[in-house]
Amino acid sequence: MANHTQEPLLEVRDLKKWFPVSKGFLQRQTGFVKAVDGVNLDVQAGETLGIVGESGSGKTTLGRCITRLYMPTGGKIIMRADGETMDVSALKGKELSAFRKRAQTIFQDPYSSLNPRMTVLQTVGEPLLVNNVAKGKELEDRVTEIILQVGLRVEHLQRYPHSFSGGQRQRIGIARAMVLNPKLVVADEPVSALDVSIQAQILNLLLDLQQKYQLTYLFISHAMSVVRYVSDRIAVMYAGKLVELGPKQELLSHPKHPYTEALLAAVPKTSQRKRGMRLVSAGEPPDLANLPKGCVFVSRCKYAAEICQEQAPVLRPLGSDSFVSCHLAESLTLQGI
Amino acid sequence: MSAQESVAVSSETAQQTPIAQKKRSAEERYYYASQRELIWWRFTRHKAAVFGAVVLIVLYLCALFADFLSPYSMDTRFEGYQAAPPTPIHWIRPDGGFQPYIYGLQRKLDQKTFKWIYTEDTSKLYPLRFFVRGEEYKFLGLFKTNIHLFGVEGAPIFVFGTDRLSRDLFSRIWAGARISLSIGLVGVFISFTLGVILGGISGYFGGVVDDAIQRVIDFLLAIPGLPLWMTLSAALPRDWPTLKMYFAITIILSVLGWTGLARVVRGKILQLREEDYTLAAIGAGASDWRIITRHLLPGFTSHLIVSITFSIPAMILNETALSFIGLGIQPPAVSWGTLLQDAQNLTAVAQQPWLLIPALFVIATVILFNFVGDGLRDAADPYQR
Amino acid sequence: MAASANNPLLIEVKDLQTYFFLHEGTVRAVDGVSFNIYEGRSLGVIGESGCGKSVTAQSMMRIVPSPPGREVGGSILMYLRDGNGAAEVVDVLKLPAGGPKMRSIRGQQIGMIFQEPMTSLSPLHTIGDQISENILIHEKGVTKKEARERTIEMLGRVGIPRPQRLVDAYPHQLSGGMRQRAMIAMALICGPRLLIGDEPTTALDVTIEAQILDLIKKLQADLGMALMYISHDLAVVGEMSDEIMVMYLGQVMEHSTTDEIFDNPLHPYTVALWRSIPTIEGKLERLVPISGSLPSPFAVLPGCRFFSRCDRRIPGVCDAAPPPLKEVVPGHLVRCFLYQ
């Protein structure tokens, strides 16, 4: 569990990633899709921070900015590892390479995340090779070690991705992320493309690896049940904003943001089978290129007041370890699970 | 480390039932097969494509060894055999034995039409012989020899007849095949180089460069091909040597050819740049060069080969068309297009239908290339993982 | 099934076998599946990819892609009732897949909704045109105007806002959730007796999924249809169904009422699934994964299909002969030697 007295491993401050939108014959830029719009969060070393949100909430973009797969449009990402402090978006050359050794990504789609023309050895060995960590025999030894750790076998080394099942491919992707011995791993929906009977294998593998290598996870998923299983704290995103962040149990049983409540209510539950209608939040998420002036959730919020239309709320602390971005948080009593 | 230690959570490939050794080794082969091998396996299942590929290889070999294959040189004139029909080849001798042979031809002037009429003179039989000595030529440009695949001593043999200047059409078709078949390859090579470089730049760097290249392509595609080629080739001096002319025509044909390939390359690069494995390589810290050469280029070579296979026949057709209207390859150089010039007027075709034989070669080549292209496209199907 | 005995039988699937004949071998996608669907009741089908749940539904609709697929055995009896309750029994498998009778069954008797709405909506026509076309095809003597009015009414019913305007929208102008609603409207426009949902909410976000599930439940109750709901998501199936069928590799492993399946699962596969899936509620324990992965679809297994991954397998018994599907408790069918 996270030790909050220490400085956090990762600090994200007012992070923005806007994608330009062009329209028409002349491809004139007409505005921005605000995929991530002013996100603040800290990640403690050794914890798993789950990030939940629906499609378009910006959770994947956030993860990709943190591992510098995308260049942020604004804000700061600070990473502290091995006594170094790195300003992630300003890194170049050697420093960037040093950062990449410490922050890696596991991708969602086990099919498109592996180059079909490279063997397991080449795929998993690539990070070692391009960062001049190892080559030749040493590279092979290190790759062998890590693929055994993720539950693959030595004879798999020379095979191509097409000969593996979805679960095995995801193991290869995990091995590639782990081979540099990173501090932080962003796992972007690592199980949502897998069959239900395979998901638990991969989730347990991730938990075991975390324990063994003292990893810090940023675990991105749309499935609340999966996030609940792996996370210490949970952050909820909606339309590019962080709406709530808190310790897992607190957030699940006492949600503080109306969207969190709606999300929890919407999740199908085995204990509520055939129990008639649920509390369903009407409407759909807003257009990211055309966000409302006030709160992003205002059009779907059943508690919305006048201030919500006018003024965008900011993320603020509430209670001991929780943060919420809602004007009315103190006055609402919301239902959890 | 031994394999036993690694079982861990997964025993995924555990075999439940005893399988025949053969099937197992086939599976093993599949596991270790690279994409190229997989494509090759799928291609070999496509019967029409394999047939097309084999026949095309034979065609190209024939063109390469045209001098040896044809009994005469392309310029040899046979006085007295003007516009002669194909010489019938007989197989069974009058006395019953098997031997390919021909009769000599006699010609007679038709008093009404003033046309030569050729009849066989059955009084003497000339056997067909193989590896005969005939006109001297340079074998593949390396050494002089005079051995031809087949020939007849004492009388001329015209497998496909002769033209109005009494030259052997069979020999001329193979001589023409050299230019017609190779112009497709050379032209596509030029288009390919231009297309990959410009398309690659366009796709990888994007932005202003991309816009500029795309507008150039739009512009070139908006120009009707035939008039452009006609203008350009009409501007070429008529007295250029054959080789120079040949390359000039090839370049003219490639001016428009590269645009399609550039679009294919650009589209593929844009698509592959978004693949997670490219992102993973960026995340691993790979350089631009490595990403392009390791992850992007190999990802669409199969698609390129398919596009190329489809553009070669188009090139061949364009050359034929240009030469047919007299603006492409110029006589005395010979291509299938120039051969077809003789078939331009209707009466010639009505009286000497064998002059259309070069057209059959053009059609067959185009169809065969399309067979191969279809097979390659199915084999490289991006939807099959 | 005892629990459903009060409702009249609508569809009787007996020993259905649908195979796919591929170059690499034969995939026995559905291999001896039997079940009944009763008027107004809902049947849930749970299974992983490759278990044959979608192919079963496609066989009932006779839309299995052919070649390579073909229904090679069994029967699917459909009870077509007229207003007086007299039933005509048709074996759907004996009808030509493209014939007029089958076409009228699709649409008028069975409506189907898919995971990806674009598979049943054409991008070239407005949703209104596509939906009212179904009325015009299936019902003689309906004018275009009437069809359009009924379409607008149905669009309103499935929760599309401003149906008078959106009836003229093209599918790409709608959000994913709205497209799913339009597809539901299209499936229901001719008043089918059975609605088949093949993972209709899998591609949707959780809050939108909840909206669509509620909509389907409400429409089922209002229209008195039967529902066959196919999904890999146990909780969703549990919410939608009166009874549940658990499928694995082309066979029914367990079939009982929803409560039985959740509270008292018997088949080792069902039990293992329950232990391997993270939930949103209850105690947080380490998941117990099902070991291994699905066998090759081409494999011909002489015994139980779950043998290789089963933690209670009996070597020599379970891999020797296939277990039969047996009613071990009244109303609870299990295909396992542990209960013979």
Side-chain angles (χ1 to χ4, degrees):
Chain A
M1 195 46 212
N3 182 353
H4 290 267
T5 54
Q6 274 184 356
E7 288 210 292
L9 174 79
L10 190 76
E11 271 178 49
V12 176
R13 290 290 169 267
D14 196 28
L15 187 74
K16 290 191 177 80
K17 179 64 184 173
W18 295 0
F19 294 100
V21 191
S22 323
K23 265 194 195 140
F25 176 67
L26 291 170
Q27 296 288 299
R28 249 185 342 174
Q29 191 182 315
T30 51
F32 291 99
V33 166
K34 299 180 179 176
V36 172
D37 195 22
V39 165
N40 290 292
L41 55 82
D42 289 352
V43 183
Q44 306 295 334
E47 77 164 337
T48 300
L49 175 65
I51 298 184
V52 208
E54 303 181 77
S55 56
S57 63
K59 55 190 193 301
T60 292
T61 309
L62 173 66
R64 288 185 176 178
C65 286
I66 286 173
T67 47
R68 257 298 287 277
L69 296 178
Y70 290 166
M71 191 61 149
T73 313
K76 247 192 161 64
I77 302 169
I78 304 291
M79 171 140 161
R80 291 190 190 85
D82 310 323
E84 277 181 69
T85 302
M86 291 178 273
D87 180 354
V88 174
S89 47
L91 297 176
K92 273 197 196 112
K94 264 217 163 73
E95 291 176 322
L96 183 60
S97 169
F99 168 74
R100 298 231 185 266
K101 282 184 217 163
R102 294 179 181 129
Q104 285 289 312
T105 308
I106 299 168
F107 292 88
Q108 170 180 3
D109 183 352
Y111 288 86
S112 94
S113 68
L114 301 180
N115 187 337
R117 286 163 188 82
M118 285 164 73
T119 62
V120 172
L121 177 62
Q122 290 168 330
T123 296
V124 178
E126 181 166 50
L128 294 173
L129 191 71
V130 299
N131 289 299
N132 297 318
V133 176
K135 57 184 172 188
K137 184 77 183 71
E138 196 198 340
L139 182 138
E140 200 171 326
D141 287 346
R142 284 191 63 169
V143 171
T144 308
E145 194 188 322
I146 195 74
I147 70 159
L148 295 175
Q149 290 293 332
V150 301
L152 295 169
R153 295 198 297 272
V154 179
E155 69 259 31
H156 291 152
L157 276 179
Q158 298 299 337
R159 289 191 191 172
Y160 288 88
H162 64 84
S163 62
F164 294 98
S165 66
Q168 287 173 314
R169 284 171 189 240
Q170 201 55 297
R171 290 172 194 271
I172 300 170
I174 291 171
R176 172 176 58 195
M178 300 296 176
V179 74
L180 285 171
N181 217 342
K183 293 271 173 258
L184 172 73
V185 173
V186 173
D188 187 359
E189 303 258 17
V191 298
S192 60
L194 302 177
D195 266 324
V196 278
S197 75
I198 307 297
Q199 292 190 2
Q201 292 178 5
I202 299 298
L203 290 175
N204 283 353
L205 172 67
L206 288 172
L207 291 179
D208 294 344
L209 290 169
Q210 179 173 39
Q211 205 154 48
K212 187 154 186 180
Y213 297 110
Q214 283 100 48
L215 293 166
T216 306
Y217 282 147
L218 205 66
F219 193 98
I220 299 169
S221 178
H222 70 283
M224 192 60 105
S225 56
V226 173
V227 170
R228 173 182 183 245
Y229 181 61
V230 295
S231 308
D232 302 309
R233 294 192 301 152
I234 297 177
V236 181
M237 285 190 74
Y238 186 78
K241 305 246 199 250
L242 198 63
V243 295
E244 184 171 352
L245 175 88
K248 167 167 68 185
Q249 208 41 56
E250 174 70 11
L251 184 130
L252 290 172
S253 38
H254 306 289
K256 294 173 179 58
H257 194 284
Y259 175 65
T260 313
E261 181 190 44
L263 195 62
L264 292 173
V267 179
K269 294 161 201 80
T270 48
S271 66
Q272 285 180 15
R273 51 191 188 258
K274 277 284 160 191
R275 300 286 186 270
M277 303 299 153
R278 283 166 300 155
L279 171 102
V280 168
S281 151
E284 298 189 0
D287 179 2
L288 293 176
N290 199 3
L291 289 173
K293 188 168 114 197
C295 174
V296 283
F297 190 58
V298 66
S299 61
R300 300 175 74 186
C301 183
K302 56 183 177 182
Y303 310 105
E306 207 165 306
I307 184 172
C308 306
Q309 301 276 4
E310 295 303 319
Q311 203 180 327
V314 289
L315 193 73
R316 61 201 163 91
L318 185 75
S320 52
D321 292 316
S322 297
F323 299 85
V324 66
S325 160
C326 175
H327 294 300
L328 314 171
E330 283 84 356
S331 57
L332 297 175
T333 316
L334 303 177
Q335 199 185 344
I337 287 176
Chain B
M1 244 170 275
S2 73
Q4 277 81 9
E5 285 177 45
S6 68
V7 175
V9 207
S10 84
S11 55
E12 307 208 354
T13 44
Q15 300 294 340
Q16 297 317 316
T17 49
I19 334 167
Q21 192 62 40
K22 195 176 153 204
K23 193 177 170 202
R24 175 152 204 158
S25 69
E27 269 177 26
E28 294 280 296
R29 219 157 65 92
Y30 175 75
Y31 292 149
Y32 293 102
S34 65
Q35 284 292 310
R36 193 175 301 172
E37 288 171 285
L38 290 177
I39 289 175
W40 175 247
W41 291 347
R42 288 197 288 262
F43 179 75
T44 50
R45 271 189 226 143
H46 201 295
K47 293 205 175 61
V50 173
F51 169 79
V54 170
V55 179
L56 277 177
I57 290 170
V58 171
L59 264 179
Y60 272 89
L61 285 178
C62 288
L64 192 63
F65 299 111
D67 298 320
F68 168 71
L69 186 69
S70 39
Y72 312 110
S73 86
M74 65 180 196
D75 296 321
T76 315
R77 295 190 182 198
F78 294 87
E79 289 303 328
Y81 291 97
Q82 193 190 8
T87 314
I89 298 172
H90 304 271
W91 301 94
I92 308 293
R93 286 210 316 241
D95 57 12
F98 172 84
Q99 186 190 22
Y101 66 93
I102 61 164
Y103 292 116
L105 289 180
Q106 280 181 325
R107 70 170 178 175
K108 197 173 76 193
L109 194 65
D110 187 317
Q111 295 300 330
K112 284 181 199 142
T113 57
F114 293 97
K115 297 276 175 203
W116 293 106
I117 293 174
Y118 293 88
T119 47
E120 285 181 308
D121 172 12
T122 52
S123 61
K124 188 163 190 299
L125 128 190
Y126 302 93
L128 191 69
R129 302 203 189 280
F130 290 94
F131 302 104
V132 293
R133 291 187 184 278
E135 292 174 56
E136 198 169 72
Y137 61 93
K138 251 188 153 174
F139 185 81
L140 294 179
L142 297 176
F143 55 90
K144 282 190 177 161
T145 177
N146 57 2
I147 300 202
H148 293 261
L149 178 65
F150 66 94
V152 176
E153 278 163 36
I157 175 167
F158 308 122
V159 179
F160 292 156
T162 62
D163 63 7
R164 95 195 125 72
L165 296 173
S166 49
R167 293 172 297 200
D168 176 32
L169 192 58
F170 183 79
S171 305
R172 288 175 70 74
I173 280 181
W174 292 117
R178 287 189 159 173
I179 286 184
S180 288
L181 291 178
S182 68
I183 215 161
L185 294 185
V186 177
V188 163
F189 178 77
I190 296 172
S191 308
F192 169 82
T193 318
L194 279 172
V196 169
I197 293 174
L198 290 169
I201 290 172
S202 192
Y204 192 77
F205 294 101
V208 184
V209 190
D210 182 26
D211 281 347
I213 294 175
Q214 289 312 305
R215 295 300 84 79
V216 171
I217 292 178
D218 287 343
F219 175 72
L220 285 176
L221 284 178
I223 307 173
L226 202 58
L228 176 73
W229 293 324
M230 284 169 68
T231 322
L232 289 175
S233 52
L236 296 177
R238 296 288 99 175
D239 52 355
W240 272 10
T242 310
L243 196 67
K244 207 166 166 188
M245 195 70 169
Y246 169 87
F247 280 110
I249 297 290
T250 318
I251 289 166
I252 289 172
L253 290 173
S254 316
V255 165
L256 296 186
W258 67 272
T259 52
L261 272 167
R263 289 233 152 133
V264 172
V265 171
R266 174 176 179 269
K268 270 319 263 187
I269 286 204
L270 286 179
Q271 182 203 331
L272 291 176
R273 234 174 37 162
E274 298 301 313
E275 288 279 344
D276 283 352
Y277 67 74
T278 315
L279 270 181
I282 295 173
S287 62
D288 276 1
W289 175 250
R290 184 177 167 87
I291 287 167
I292 294 174
T293 54
R294 259 336 274 249
H295 296 279
L296 297 180
L297 280 179
F300 62 83
T301 38
S302 53
H303 293 261
L304 275 185
I305 293 171
V306 174
S307 315
I308 288 170
T309 320
F310 282 119
S311 14
I312 294 174
M315 252 339 152
I316 293 177
L317 279 178
N318 291 337
E319 182 276 324
T320 309
L322 220 49
S323 301
F324 178 74
I325 56 175
L327 290 168
I329 302 297
Q330 299 295 326
V334 175
S335 78
W336 289 345
T338 59
L339 291 178
L340 283 171
Q341 278 181 20
D342 288 345
Q344 264 179 0
N345 80 62
L346 209 57
T347 46
V349 173
Q351 280 161 7
Q352 299 140 29
W354 55 90
L355 290 179
L356 281 177
I357 290 174
L360 296 182
F361 276 80
V362 174
I363 293 167
T365 309
V366 171
I367 290 176
L368 291 169
F369 265 112
N370 283 325
F371 281 170
V372 175
D374 277 340
L376 282 174
R377 190 186 49 207
D378 293 350
D381 184 7
Y383 297 104
Q384 274 183 317
R385 300 267 187 181
Chain C
M1 200 112 317
S4 319
N6 296 334
N7 294 45
L9 196 56
L10 180 63
I11 291 181
E12 204 176 346
V13 176
K14 281 191 210 158
D15 197 27
L16 176 67
Q17 290 165 311
T18 306
Y19 293 178
F20 285 79
F21 300 93
L22 304 177
H23 184 87
E24 294 86 350
T26 302
V27 178
R28 302 198 278 175
V30 176
D31 203 12
V33 166
S34 305
F35 60 91
N36 295 340
I37 292 177
Y38 298 89
E39 297 265 8
R41 305 278 299 172
S42 49
L43 168 72
V45 186
I46 291 178
E48 300 175 72
S49 61
C51 74
K53 54 192 194 301
S54 294
V55 178
T56 303
Q58 287 169 0
S59 300
M60 292 163 71
M61 293 284 277
R62 295 299 306 279
I63 51 170
V64 173
S66 169
R70 193 150 45 86
E71 295 90 351
V72 293
S75 61
I76 298 174
L77 301 180
M78 173 112 216
Y79 292 74
L80 306 172
R81 292 192 175 77
D82 56 19
N84 309 323
E88 179 201 350
V89 186
V90 182
D91 184 352
V92 168
L93 290 187
K94 296 229 164 67
L95 298 174
K101 183 90 182 171
M102 198 59 233
R103 282 208 305 271
S104 89
I105 286 179
R106 285 196 285 265
Q108 283 190 294
Q109 300 293 331
I110 314 178
M112 188 158 174
I113 51 181
F114 303 89
Q115 175 174 341
E116 182 41 69
M118 286 316 228
T119 52
S120 50
L121 294 174
S122 154
L124 300 176
H125 303 279
T126 65
I127 55 169
D129 283 352
Q130 296 184 51
I131 295 169
S132 52
E133 195 192 341
N134 279 11
I135 308 179
L136 298 171
I137 289 173
H138 290 302
E139 295 172 32
K140 297 281 165 278
V142 179
T143 66
K144 276 196 168 171
K145 194 160 168 280
E146 286 165 3
R148 187 179 162 88
E149 272 160 21
R150 269 175 58 188
T151 301
I152 292 173
E153 195 221 314
M154 183 52 87
L155 287 176
R157 214 164 168 171
V158 298
I160 289 187
R162 290 168 285 123
Q164 290 88 344
R165 268 188 58 202
L166 285 180
V167 69
D168 294 320
Y170 289 89
H172 66 264
Q173 295 170 316
L174 304 177
S175 70
M178 285 300 152
R179 272 184 219 151
Q180 211 67 22
R181 288 173 193 269
M183 185 169 62
I184 293 172
M186 187 149 113
L188 298 185
I189 191 72
C190 291
R193 307 300 310 140
L194 168 68
L195 176 67
I196 301 178
D198 186 0
E199 307 247 11
T201 61
T202 304
L204 301 176
D205 283 324
V206 190
T207 53
I208 309 296
E209 172 180 61
Q211 296 170 2
I212 300 290
L213 292 179
D214 279 2
L215 173 69
I216 294 174
K217 274 191 283 189
K218 183 171 174 306
L219 289 168
Q220 190 200 359
D222 290 356
L223 304 171
M225 296 180 296
L227 175 69
M228 178 171 168
Y229 197 94
I230 299 169
S231 178
H232 68 278
D233 189 325
L234 313 175
V236 169
V237 173
E239 197 178 312
M240 301 302 288
S241 321
D242 298 315
E243 53 182 292
I244 292 180
M245 200 159 86
V246 181
M247 288 184 72
Y248 186 78
L249 280 187
Q251 290 185 332
V252 177
M253 290 293 163
E254 185 163 5
H255 186 166
S256 189
T257 61
T258 301
D259 287 337
E260 272 285 296
I261 291 278
F262 276 94
D263 300 336
N264 185 25
L266 294 179
H267 196 284
Y269 175 58
T270 319
V271 176
L273 263 187
W274 265 220
R275 280 187 314 195
S276 74
I277 289 166
T279 53
I280 189 71
E281 63 212 324
K283 241 173 54 197
L284 201 56
E285 289 169 334
R286 189 173 165 93
L287 300 174
V288 184
I290 303 179
S291 65
S293 57
L294 288 165
S296 152
F298 306 111
V300 180
L301 305 170
C304 175
R305 304 210 162 178
F306 188 56
F307 178 80
S308 62
R309 305 173 70 187
C310 183
D311 54 4
R312 296 180 66 191
R313 63 184 167 210
I314 313 166
V317 176
C318 298
D319 55 349
L325 187 66
K326 202 177 144 194
E327 187 162 7
V328 294
V329 186
H332 198 146
L333 304 166
V334 183
R335 188 187 292 279
C336 181
F337 282 121
L338 293 171
Y339 302 97
Q340 298 301 317

